[in-house]
Amino acid sequence: MGAKNHKPIEVTPHLFQLGTPAFPTYLSMGEEGMIIEGGTGSTFLIMVYQIKSLGIDPKKIKYIVLTHTHPDHIGAVPHFRRAWPHIKLLASPIGAKILKKTELFKQFQLIDLGIAQLMKAKAEIDSLPEPIKDYAFEVDSVVKEGDRIELGAGIAWHIYETPGHSPCHIALFEENEKTLALGDVTGFYVREKNTFWPNYFESLEKYCNSIRKLAPLPAKRAALSHNGVVEGEVRRHLEKAMKSTEKYHQELLERLNQGEISEKIAMEKARFVDSLTDIQPFKVMYDLCELMIRNSLANGEENHFVM
């Protein structure tokens, strides 16, 4: 299955979903354009085809903005830099610092290749992406809380710093069409099963604070970093994410207090995640589940779940 089998989705007259359902990116178009999320190496050619199929001149796309710098959210960036060098990369201040750490590139390469191999095995792509020797992730401009990105034609995105999933995470709210680009603020959500896998990889407290921060926004839809767009009352989605996080955290503490070993719990939780998605190798899912057990232990009985 090649790029032509992946069609772009019109979310609103000014917003298009690109990439694949598992790894979506979003193209916001005013007088100028901005891609939200950095994709993966294996979705780069898909996105190029989708943009061209929309009849959009790549020269009109001015920015790529990263919600965060995890490997599965930056993989297409070096490919875009080589193909369309006029595009400027935007990230949070912490994100900009992280992307300067060249020692992280080896981990990025392994994860990006793993994603590509999984996609090829599922026939979502015909071949593995062409390797790039020089990975250029240097950020052109930093965006921070309170900043506003103007694209013209009434399209403007406001920046909110939303750590917890990662220290560098930001969310973006577009005031005209009222779209909230959530990134991974609410974790991994599967609409078909109405199921959340909370993702408080950095801090449970910060993760809950970020969900709470975004709740007052009058958003009509939430653009997620995985599995597309949630239409309707976004506050309800945020409330469900908070309740799911509380339930997940409390279960971990109860099982640990009953004497279960963390390795057994992490294995069970990784199998649960594996039943929801296969977008990452099982070992990655296990390590992340183990990380959240440690974060729940560090948090203890403190209550951060009131909306």
Side-chain angles (χ1 to χ4, degrees):
M1 181 182 293
K4 293 182 180 179
N5 296 92
H6 300 278
K7 306 297 183 184
I9 299 170
E10 182 178 315
V11 180
T12 74
H14 294 275
L15 186 70
F16 304 90
Q17 181 180 321
L18 308 179
T20 66
F23 297 105
T25 62
Y26 301 93
L27 175 60
S28 177
M29 290 300 303
E31 294 170 2
E32 299 174 323
M34 178 173 73
I35 297 172
I36 301 170
E37 300 290 0
T40 71
S42 48
T43 61
F44 166 69
L45 290 177
I46 294 172
M47 288 188 281
V48 169
Y49 169 77
Q50 290 167 330
I51 290 167
K52 291 182 177 179
S53 73
L54 289 168
I56 294 172
D57 183 352
K59 292 179 181 178
K60 293 188 69 176
I61 302 174
K62 188 173 183 180
Y63 306 114
I64 296 174
V65 60
L66 304 179
T67 62
H68 59 300
T69 60
H70 285 166
D72 57 327
H73 296 267
I74 64 172
V77 169
H79 298 273
F80 274 115
R81 282 197 178 281
R82 184 176 61 175
W84 298 339
H86 68 280
I87 295 180
K88 304 301 183 184
L89 184 63
L90 312 180
S92 70
I94 296 175
K97 290 180 181 178
I98 290 172
L99 291 175
K100 287 183 178 179
K101 297 179 179 179
T102 56
E103 64 269 22
L104 298 178
F105 290 178
K106 185 175 181 180
Q107 179 195 32
F108 157 75
Q109 289 174 312
L110 289 172
I111 293 177
D112 196 60
L113 176 61
I115 291 170
Q117 290 171 334
L118 287 170
M119 290 183 68
K120 188 173 184 297
K122 293 185 291 182
E124 292 180 340
I125 55 175
D126 290 330
S127 58
L128 299 180
E130 180 183 346
I132 292 180
K133 292 182 179 179
D134 298 319
Y135 283 91
F137 290 110
E138 186 173 349
V139 170
D140 295 295
S141 294
V142 163
V143 289
K144 59 188 183 301
E145 181 89 17
D147 283 352
R148 173 183 166 114
I149 304 171
E150 296 271 5
L151 299 181
I155 301 300
W157 292 86
H158 296 262
I159 305 298
Y160 294 84
E161 293 177 2
T162 51
H165 175 77
S166 71
C168 61
H169 203 292
I170 59 172
L172 302 92
F173 178 63
E174 202 287 299
E175 59 190 19
N176 183 20
E177 295 180 318
K178 294 182 169 45
T179 300
L180 178 60
L182 271 178
D184 284 338
V185 169
T186 53
F188 190 88
Y189 177 61
V190 181
R191 286 175 294 172
E192 295 77 11
K193 298 183 179 181
N194 194 27
T195 300
F196 289 85
W197 175 41
N199 284 177
Y200 48 95
F201 302 148
E202 182 207 4
S203 159
L204 176 58
E205 180 179 2
K206 291 179 183 179
Y207 184 84
C208 293
N209 287 344
S210 291
I211 293 174
R212 190 180 302 107
K213 173 192 277 190
L214 299 176
L217 294 174
K220 292 183 177 179
R221 69 192 58 81
L224 309 179
S225 285
H226 301 286
N227 305 325
V229 176
V230 174
E231 292 281 358
E233 189 182 352
V234 175
R235 182 181 173 89
R236 178 60 181 151
H237 173 79
L238 295 166
E239 289 171 347
K240 289 193 295 183
M242 186 75 90
K243 288 179 180 178
S244 296
T245 303
E246 180 179 17
K247 182 179 178 182
Y248 190 96
H249 165 67
Q250 292 297 342
E251 180 192 344
L252 294 182
L253 291 187
E254 288 171 9
R255 293 177 66 175
L256 290 166
N257 289 336
Q258 290 170 3
E260 288 191 59
I261 61 172
S262 62
E263 291 82 1
K264 176 187 174 184
I265 300 172
M267 182 62 70
E268 183 181 310
K269 290 299 183 185
R271 287 174 178 151
F272 159 71
V273 178
D274 195 52
S275 73
L276 297 177
T277 180
D278 59 356
I279 63 172
Q280 293 272 21
F282 185 83
K283 178 64 165 58
V284 173
M285 300 303 191
Y286 174 85
D287 290 343
L288 293 173
C289 289
E290 197 171 46
L291 174 60
M292 283 197 291
I293 290 172
R294 295 198 296 271
N295 287 345
S296 278
L297 277 172
N299 185 85
E301 297 293 342
E302 288 188 52
N303 188 344
H304 306 292
F305 308 104
V306 178
M307 287 293 286

